[in-house]
Amino acid sequence: MAVKNTTQVLIGGKIVTLSGYESEEYLQKVANYMNNKLTELGQLPGYNRQALETRHTLLSLNIADDYFKAKRQAEMYEEELEAKDREMYELKHDLINGQVELDKGRKSVEEKDRQIAELQAKVDELEKELEELLK
């Protein structure tokens, strides 16, 4: 069973205790993300003059926006990966078909070589018979 971690982080200048099954490093990373978002929004004109509730709503909207953009990017990567998997499957299929055709061609060449050798043996045999008849 996973161990629940508890750590204190600094978010927006206030110490907050976070706990979860993630590592302390991860919880610090989340707090750092929040601080970066607060800094980013704080640089917008008029943001700091808004009511606290409005600022929290804007922060939540910005985080939700980041989430949906990241989710869409992940979906695009998944689609791209699936397309590449399909392409790789088709290429492997083509390779296998090519190998089968190559094997058929090799067998055909071997069979033709065998037939040529048999015919050459018959030619040699007939030439010997002809030589004996001409003597």
Side-chain angles (χ1 to χ4, degrees), residues 90-103:
E90 290 169 4
L91 288 171
K92 285 180 179 179
H93 187 264
D94 290 347
L95 177 62
I96 290 169
N97 284 340
Q99 288 173 333
V100 167
E101 289 299 315
L102 181 61
D103 287 345

Side-chain angles (χ1 to χ4, degrees), residues 23-101:
S23 68
E24 288 185 30
E25 293 81 19
Y26 176 80
L27 296 173
Q28 290 290 344
K29 186 175 180 180
V30 170
N32 188 45
Y33 171 80
M34 291 291 294
N35 284 321
N36 287 339
K37 272 294 168 191
L38 287 168
T39 300
E40 180 183 319
L41 290 173
Q43 293 174 350
L44 295 175
Y47 175 79
N48 291 322
R49 290 191 304 260
Q50 300 293 322
L52 184 60
E53 186 176 317
T54 302
R55 287 185 294 193
H56 287 164
T57 300
L58 290 172
L59 176 63
S60 298
L61 287 170
N62 270 268
I63 291 170
D65 180 52
D66 287 351
Y67 166 78
F68 283 110
K69 285 177 181 174
K71 184 177 177 186
R72 179 62 193 136
Q73 180 128 21
E75 289 168 354
M76 288 172 48
Y77 287 145
E78 277 293 320
E79 291 169 6
E80 191 177 311
L81 181 62
E82 287 172 9
K84 288 185 185 298
D85 282 346
R86 280 191 302 275
E87 182 181 358
M88 186 168 44
Y89 173 81
E90 290 169 4
L91 288 171
K92 285 180 179 179
H93 187 264
D94 290 347
L95 177 62
I96 290 169
N97 284 340
Q99 288 173 333
V100 167
E101 289 299 315

